[in-house]
Amino acid sequence: MTADSVRAIWCRELGREDIAADDDFFALGGQSVIMVRIQGAFLEELGAEVPMDQMFLHPTVASISAYITSLPPQR
C-alpha cells in the first residue's frame, strides 16, 4: 500500500517512528534537505516523480500518498 511505503520513507528520513497519516511534514521538523531526500526515495522506491510544489501542497502522509496514487503509471 502506498501510504505504508510513504510512512516508512518519512520515518526513515525524519528519524522518527511515531508518524501518523495526518501529521504535517513541517511540524515534524521536515525541511528542504530532507524533502529532497524523500523525493529521491519516492522516485527510487515507488517509481513516482513528485515535484517540490506537490510536496508543499500535500504535507501529510495521507495527502501525498493520495497524490502519488493518482499519478499515471511510470514507464
Side-chain angles (χ1 to χ4, degrees), residues 1-67:
M1 187 161 143
T2 302
D4 293 335
S5 297
V6 168
R7 183 184 175 284
I9 291 167
W10 281 30
C11 286
R12 181 180 70 229
E13 297 300 334
L14 289 164
R16 302 176 67 125
E17 292 298 322
D18 59 342
I19 297 175
D22 60 347
D23 285 341
D24 184 277
F25 174 78
F26 301 102
L28 294 169
Q31 38 91 352
S32 60
V33 173
I34 296 170
M35 189 179 285
V36 170
R37 291 197 316 246
I38 288 172
Q39 277 184 298
F42 286 165
L43 186 57
E44 184 176 317
E45 297 173 36
L46 303 177
E49 190 168 341
V50 179
M52 188 70 69
D53 65 328
Q54 294 302 314
M55 300 280 291
F56 281 99
L57 290 171
H58 304 285
T60 66
V61 168
S63 63
I64 200 68
S65 297
Y67 171 79

